[in-house]
Amino acid sequence: MLDILHQGSKAYYIDDQGRDHSIPVFSVGKHIAEERHVVKVEGLENSFKDVAKKLGIQDNHSIHCYISPPFGVSFPEHTDPIDVFIYVMEGTKTMIIDGELFIIEEGHHIKIPAGVPHRATNVEPSIMLSIGIE
């Protein structure tokens, strides 16, 4: 998995206030191992095009990977201007979408329509893809 993440174009960790901080892509493994913050890697469209295709997504999309330790702080509630698919690769992702709690198990996904408020609560560890339809 680290080989794939190192192919990303940008990487970040998310601090306790939900702000992202740029980190070198080659240091992603170190940040994941520390299990202190959620790690985000952007620019993985080529690495996970099979997942996008499985979800029926063809062209004009972005793929970001989020690696979350248990109770890792993520972004505060927000909306996106585009539809976003959340696909869980490992673990269980917990999210609040439009005020409702969703538990997304490994191998499953959920679609968040553009403009719908949401946030991750990360009760359990997970690796998930955020696929935005541009």
Side-chain angles (χ1 to χ4, degrees):
M1 178 60 127
L2 276 179
D3 289 345
I4 293 171
L5 295 176
H6 288 158
Q7 295 171 23
S9 60
K10 294 180 184 177
Y12 306 86
Y13 77 86
I14 302 171
D15 71 17
D16 294 339
Q17 277 74 51
R19 299 173 298 210
D20 57 0
H21 300 271
S22 183
I23 58 173
V25 173
F26 63 81
S27 73
V28 164
K30 170 188 164 290
H31 286 274
I32 293 170
E34 290 175 347
E35 292 190 335
R36 291 186 4 212
H37 300 103
V38 172
V39 175
K40 172 185 172 185
V41 180
E42 295 182 348
L44 295 168
E45 294 78 23
N46 289 328
S47 299
F48 292 107
K49 60 185 166 193
D50 58 325
V51 175
K53 187 175 181 179
K54 176 180 171 181
L55 298 177
I57 302 166
Q58 298 298 322
D59 298 322
N60 300 323
H61 63 278
S62 61
I63 299 180
H64 308 320
C65 183
Y66 291 83
I67 303 93
S68 305
F71 297 102
V73 175
S74 198
F75 299 120
E77 184 176 75
H78 64 283
T79 62
D80 291 304
I82 57 176
D83 292 345
V84 175
F85 283 84
I86 302 299
Y87 177 81
V88 179
M89 297 180 64
E90 278 187 33
T92 302
K93 191 72 167 180
T94 51
M95 298 191 69
I96 297 176
I97 303 170
D98 206 15
E100 187 177 345
L101 176 67
F102 287 87
I103 299 170
I104 312 157
E105 300 288 337
E106 185 172 318
H108 293 262
H109 71 281
I110 193 165
K111 180 181 179 184
I112 304 172
V116 172
H118 60 279
R119 71 180 178 90
T121 57
N122 302 320
V123 174
E124 297 183 34
S126 67
I127 299 174
M128 68 119 207
L129 299 178
S130 172
I131 306 170
I133 310 299
E134 298 176 5

